C-alpha cells in the first residue's frame, strides 16, 4: 500500500468514528515520516512524539467529542508553539495602601522538559485517550521503507522502533 493510499484509508477511518460507524478513533498524523540512515532512534522518537503532541492539540475537539480522557494541553501547547514565555504578577498591601505589578517575557529554551518530561506527558495522554488498542490511536506512515532493502542502519532503526513505539 502506498503512503497516499494509507493516508486516504486513515482519513476514512477517522471519518467513520466521527459519523458514529465505529467507536475506534484512529487519527492520522499530518505528514509521513522518513527513516534516514544518519538519524538515531532517539531523534526519530523525539520527532514522532512532537508530531503526536501537535496532533493531540489539533484534534482536541474530536478527542473530547469522543469522550476521550485527555489532560489539559494548554501548557504543552504554549511550550511547543510559543517562542516566548510571558509572565505577570502583582501584589497589594492593606494598611499601606500600596500595590505593585510586574510583567516579563523570556525566550523559550526549556531543553530539560524536551528530554524527559515531554515524552512522559505524551505517554500519559496516550494512556488516557486510548487505554486499549481497540480504543484507537494515532496513525504514523513511514514513507521510505524501500531503504530497508539496502540500508542496514535503516533496518536496525525500524527494528528498534517496532518495540518502543
Amino acid at each position: 500500500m502506498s503512503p497516499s493510499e494509507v493516508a486516504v484509508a486513515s482519513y476514512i477511518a477517522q471519518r467513520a468514528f466521527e459519523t458514529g460507524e465505529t467507536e475506534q478513533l484512529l487519527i492520522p498524523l499530518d505528514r509521513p515520516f522518513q527513516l534516514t540512515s544518519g538519524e538515531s532512534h532517539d531523534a526519530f522518537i523525539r520527532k514522532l512524539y512532537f508530531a503526536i503532541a501537535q496532533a493531540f492539540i489539533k484534534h482536541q475537539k474530536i478527542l473530547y467529542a469522543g469522550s476521550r480522557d485527555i489532560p489539559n494541553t494548554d501548557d504543552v501547547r504554549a511550550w511547543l508553539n510559543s517562542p516566548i514565555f510571558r509572565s505577570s504578577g502583582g501584589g497589594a498591601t492593606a494598611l499601606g495602601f500600596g500595590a505593585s505589578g510586574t510583567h516579563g517575557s523570556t525566550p523559550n529554551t526549556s531543553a530539560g522538559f524536551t528530554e524527559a518530561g515531554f515524552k512522559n506527558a505524551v505517554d500519559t495522554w496516550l494512556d488516557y485517550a486510548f487505554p486499549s488498542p481497540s480504543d484507537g490511536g494515532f496513525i504514523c506512515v513511514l514513507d521510505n521503507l524501500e531503504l530497508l532493502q539496502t540500508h542496514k542502519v535503516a533496518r536496525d532503526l525500524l527494528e528498534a522502533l517496532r518495540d518502543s513505539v
Side-chain angles (χ1 to χ4, degrees), residues 28-51:
L29 297 180
D30 284 343
R31 62 180 174 81
F33 288 81
Q34 294 192 348
L35 299 172
T36 61
S37 60
E39 187 170 37
S40 73
H41 170 265
D42 290 336
F44 186 86
I45 295 290
R46 188 177 303 114
K47 187 169 51 173
L48 180 61
Y49 269 76
F50 277 108

Side-chain angles (χ1 to χ4, degrees), residues 38-161:
E39 187 170 37
S40 73
H41 170 265
D42 290 336
F44 186 86
I45 295 290
R46 188 177 303 114
K47 187 169 51 173
L48 180 61
Y49 269 76
F50 277 108
I52 292 170
Q54 292 289 10
F56 263 109
I57 292 166
K58 178 179 179 181
H59 298 286
Q60 192 170 20
K61 286 182 183 178
I62 189 174
L63 289 159
Y64 282 133
S67 300
R68 296 303 195 260
D69 184 19
I70 63 168
N72 185 336
T73 58
D74 290 341
D75 290 337
V76 172
R77 177 193 330 255
W79 177 78
L80 283 173
N81 300 319
S82 298
I84 296 177
F85 287 126
R86 303 200 188 285
S87 62
S88 59
T93 58
L95 298 174
F97 296 101
S100 66
T102 60
H103 178 71
S105 61
T106 306
N108 183 352
T109 59
S110 53
F113 184 65
T114 302
E115 299 306 320
F118 176 68
K119 185 178 181 302
N120 290 336
V122 173
D123 282 338
T124 299
W125 295 356
L126 288 167
D127 288 343
Y128 285 155
F130 308 107
S132 74
S134 64
D135 291 317
F138 291 100
I139 298 172
C140 172
V141 176
L142 296 176
D143 187 14
N144 60 341
L145 292 180
E146 68 276 358
L147 286 179
L148 297 179
Q149 302 300 321
T150 58
H151 294 293
K152 181 185 180 322
V153 176
R155 256 193 326 271
D156 292 344
L157 178 59
L158 186 61
E159 186 64 29
L161 292 173

